[in-house]
Amino acid sequence: MRIAALEVEGVRNLAPLVLSPSPRFNVFVGDNGQGKTNLLESIYVAATLRSFRTTRLAEIIQFGAPGARIRARVERGGLTRLYDVTIGPHSRQVRLDGKAPRPVSRYFGDLNVVLFAPEDLHLPRGAPADRRRFLDRAVFNRRGEHLTVVADYDKALRSRNALLREAAAGRRTKGIGDQLAVWDEQVATLGARVIAHRRAYLAELRGPVQAAFDAIARAGKPADVTYASAAPEIAAAADADLPAALRAALAATQARDLARGSTSVGPHRDDLAFGFDGHEAAAVASQGQLRALVLAWKTAEIDLLERVHGEPPILLLDDVSSELDPQRNRYLFEYLAERQGQCFITTTHAGFVLLDRNRVDHQVRDGRIV
Amino acid sequence: MADPVQRLAHELARLPGIGEKTATRLAFHLVRASAEQVRNLAAALVDLVEQTRLCSSCMNVTDDDPCAMCRDTRRDRETLCVVATPSDLVAIDRGGHFSGRYHVLHGLLSPLDGVGPEDLRIAELLRRLGPGDGTSPPVREVIIATSPSVEGEATAMYLARLIKPLGVTVSRIATGLPIGGEIEYSDQATLARALAHRSHL
């Protein structure tokens, strides 16, 4: 699949832009703050209706502009589809081939983008919440329904927490047991699906990540990625027993949860564990090995999507080269040169992008792309 | 803009689905419309507040208490269909496939919006399921027809917890593929649901 035409208007500092991207490598060169990432963000929003930088989509609207509009003409398997997103201060309008998709989840599926950003390289030593988001984003690319399940789980969880706080404050105590039981059930059922999706994804990705890591790091020691549930009874449960295990865990921690006004077990407390040589990678691996591990994850993720969807996903590489040492940077571009598919690459120095064929370079200055 | 026009436009703009532009256009349209048409509209609006209330039995909006549906003796008294809003009731009844009676909750459980059981017409529902005065047959089945959203599911589950101990059958409307829908165009969440709730042939 590839973006054949892109139109962006009213997004952050970008001047209105019309672009006919190359089917292979599109390199955007510019200093920091010129608008390179804003361009990748626009593509990402067109594909996922989310931003990777903010949870409030309206933040991408240019200062003083009434709204933002992103249109992408996408060619896939001989078919052309038009993705069209308009974002207002309090609204979001989505059109696919000129029509509003109902439900909006129909919008997803045909335009797969994979983002690789410098922040990703810091994940093994970063916060668990960032790793969960990173994992969920990958799972969503693999199976679109994960987005709905995660959103529903999040709502059920926030509802339960709101109820816990009300109960702790002495309000709504009448029949609180029945009310809590209902939200426990929702959290357990939806939480079990979130965990099952994440586990299934890791089961697919684990082997390829290990193989890619061996090829990149040549460390002679194995790396690993696993799903780590904080509660042992949840970690031990088979997928089919997850709802029951979550239900039991929620019941066991209810007194504590009531006291602190929040839910202490569930997939929102789990983690994506990066391992190296049998230990937690963040503790024992070098900086370079950790980055090789994330790079291995990303290449495995891309390969998996290509296998699943039958077409290479569109890659968004946001200034990753500045964070990789020369040897791993070379590996990344050798990998990219060998595979098919369209890439959008930003960089501060054209020389970082080690591609000598099929590339079209653009300069980005002050929100303008030339 | 003349003051009465502005006032009307302002009031119209507070209605759901009507923005400032549409409100202004409607207001100017009414200025030009016949006085009779406008008076009829005004009278209908006044009647709406003065002559409607909630049916003391099913909690639907009515101008007559008990409402026409609750008085209709051809309707099955043993089956109750529970809906979130009066417009849900209209949607279900339009099909004519349900011949029992209704109960309107006027909302769904939503702790995030501060909506608890006491904010819904649940106590009134439970009263209808009680032993009664012996003049009408007891309710045998309650069909819960709330949306398959997080709040809709939670509300259905909550009602089931309260109603089952009363010895009344509780059922939930099915979710899945729409009639006339194409499987290949269905979204994955709906397909997953349809598979999970498949039925034997």
Side-chain angles (χ1 to χ4, degrees):
Chain A
M1 83 194 66
R2 72 179 187 105
I3 296 176
L6 180 72
E7 284 181 47
V8 180
E9 214 182 308
V11 172
R12 298 200 191 258
N13 80 335
L14 291 178
L17 125 90
V18 180
L19 197 67
S20 302
S22 146
R24 287 292 275 141
F25 299 109
N26 298 273
V27 183
F28 299 90
V29 188
D31 290 334
N32 289 323
Q34 301 302 305
K36 303 187 302 288
T37 305
N38 301 344
L39 179 75
L40 297 192
E41 187 181 27
S42 302
I43 297 172
Y44 192 85
V45 169
T48 65
L49 304 182
R50 303 196 152 207
S51 165
F52 50 83
R53 293 154 120 190
T54 167
T55 48
R56 274 200 61 234
L57 208 47
E59 279 176 25
I60 76 161
I61 300 172
Q62 193 164 87
F63 185 72
R69 184 165 190 195
I70 306 159
R71 276 181 286 182
R73 200 173 77 228
V74 177
E75 288 176 4
R76 178 179 175 162
L79 285 175
T80 301
R81 307 202 85 175
L82 195 63
Y83 290 75
D84 184 350
V85 190
T86 308
I87 295 146
H90 304 287
S91 64
R92 180 193 76 186
Q93 199 189 54
V94 177
R95 295 195 170 268
L96 182 55
D97 295 331
K99 280 184 246 160
R102 290 273 180 279
V104 82
S105 53
R106 280 202 191 156
Y107 182 86
F108 305 114
D110 279 350
L111 175 53
N112 306 107
V113 299
V114 172
L115 170 76
F116 192 6
E119 301 87 80
D120 295 341
L121 292 163
H122 304 295
L123 276 174
R125 288 207 174 126
D130 292 332
R131 283 191 291 273
R132 284 192 293 270
R133 212 169 7 250
F134 175 83
L135 174 60
D136 282 334
R137 204 184 282 161
V139 180
F140 160 65
N141 262 331
R142 168 74 178 83
R143 53 202 289 174
E145 88 253 33
H146 188 61
L147 190 67
T148 324
V149 178
V150 168
D152 282 356
Y153 175 75
D154 184 55
K155 195 176 213 181
L157 184 69
R158 285 185 297 127
S159 298
R160 184 181 192 263
N161 290 344
L163 197 59
L164 289 169
R165 281 193 297 275
E166 295 255 303
R171 296 187 296 264
R172 299 202 187 277
T173 42
K174 194 167 151 258
I176 187 75
D178 281 321
Q179 289 189 64
L180 264 181
V182 160
W183 292 105
D184 282 8
E185 184 60 34
Q186 291 284 88
V187 168
T189 316
L190 292 163
R193 290 178 63 194
V194 172
I195 296 175
H197 285 180
R198 289 175 178 174
R199 281 179 176 179
Y201 183 76
L202 277 165
E204 279 185 305
L205 206 68
R206 189 177 180 195
V209 170
Q210 290 170 331
F213 180 80
D214 288 342
I216 301 168
R218 299 197 182 89
K221 288 172 182 168
D224 206 356
V225 284
T226 46
Y227 190 62
S229 284
E233 64 271 38
I234 294 170
D239 281 359
D241 304 325
L242 274 173
L246 270 163
R247 232 176 273 134
L250 286 168
T253 55
Q254 201 181 74
R256 195 198 330 165
D257 287 359
L258 272 165
R260 31 175 262 174
S262 68
T263 303
S264 49
V265 288
H268 64 291
R269 307 275 294 182
D270 293 351
D271 203 351
L272 166 63
F274 288 96
F276 180 69
D277 199 20
H279 301 278
E280 190 193 336
V284 297
S286 71
Q287 178 89 322
Q289 284 161 338
L290 290 176
R291 289 179 181 195
L293 186 44
V294 177
L295 183 57
W297 172 291
K298 275 293 162 186
T299 57
E301 178 183 347
I302 294 161
D303 291 344
L304 175 67
L305 280 179
E306 181 166 349
R307 237 179 12 253
V308 169
H309 297 299
E311 283 212 42
I314 292 168
L315 290 192
L316 309 176
L317 250 65
D318 190 17
D319 200 14
V320 174
S321 300
S322 60
E323 296 273 337
L324 291 173
D325 58 44
Q327 185 198 337
R328 296 193 171 95
N329 195 41
R330 203 173 316 117
Y331 177 89
L332 172 63
F333 285 107
E334 278 168 13
Y335 166 81
L336 292 178
E338 274 171 31
R339 66 182 287 281
Q340 298 294 307
Q342 191 176 35
C343 300
F344 293 82
I345 303 166
T346 71
T347 183
T348 46
H349 298 93
F352 281 170
V353 178
L354 306 176
L355 297 164
D356 43 17
R357 285 186 305 133
N358 296 323
R359 68 187 272 178
V360 177
D361 282 39
H362 303 266
Q363 298 293 321
V364 183
R365 204 170 299 125
D366 217 8
R368 286 175 199 286
I369 290 162
V370 286
Chain B
M1 226 189 293
D3 190 46
V5 181
Q6 201 160 16
R7 252 175 55 215
L8 177 61
H10 179 71
E11 290 300 324
L12 289 171
R14 292 167 59 178
L15 299 173
I18 295 190
E20 222 148 286
K21 262 190 205 161
T22 310
T24 309
R25 203 165 59 228
L26 285 173
F28 276 114
H29 172 84
L30 290 170
V31 170
R32 289 192 306 271
S34 77
E36 194 199 350
Q37 191 195 345
V38 179
R39 286 209 179 86
N40 284 344
L41 175 64
L45 289 173
V46 171
D47 285 354
L48 193 69
V49 283
E50 289 186 349
Q51 297 182 16
T52 62
R53 64 199 112 153
L54 298 189
C55 170
S56 57
S57 177
C58 70
M59 297 293 138
N60 193 16
V61 177
T62 178
D63 55 351
D64 207 0
D65 186 19
C67 73
M69 276 188 187
C70 287
R71 282 193 323 246
D72 188 342
T73 49
R74 288 164 305 177
R75 281 190 172 263
D76 172 13
R77 285 167 178 271
E78 299 186 352
T79 317
L80 266 191
C81 178
V82 177
V83 293
T85 64
S87 44
D88 288 349
L89 185 155
V90 170
I92 291 176
D93 206 62
R94 201 187 295 138
H97 301 290
F98 178 70
S99 61
R101 302 186 177 208
Y102 293 93
H103 190 87
V104 185
L105 295 171
H106 292 278
L108 294 170
L109 289 180
S110 175
L112 287 175
D113 303 312
V115 181
E118 59 273 37
D119 301 309
L120 306 176
R121 302 292 179 166
I122 293 177
E124 289 85 349
L125 171 63
L126 296 178
R127 210 176 304 138
R128 293 178 78 183
L129 304 179
D133 52 11
T135 55
S136 57
V139 174
R140 290 186 191 283
E141 181 177 1
V142 172
I143 302 169
I144 303 177
T146 53
S147 305
S149 61
V150 174
E151 288 90 351
E153 293 291 348
T155 307
M157 218 179 280
Y158 181 75
L159 291 176
R161 284 179 74 87
L162 298 187
I163 297 171
K164 271 186 194 161
L166 305 175
V168 178
T169 303
V170 185
S171 55
R172 178 96 175 92
I173 51 163
T175 50
L177 298 172
I179 302 290
E182 303 274 354
I183 285 182
E184 64 170 317
Y185 296 125
S186 296
D187 68 295
Q188 298 183 11
T190 303
L191 282 173
R193 191 75 170 240
L195 277 171
H197 294 243
R198 68 191 180 276
S199 53
H200 290 285
L201 290 174

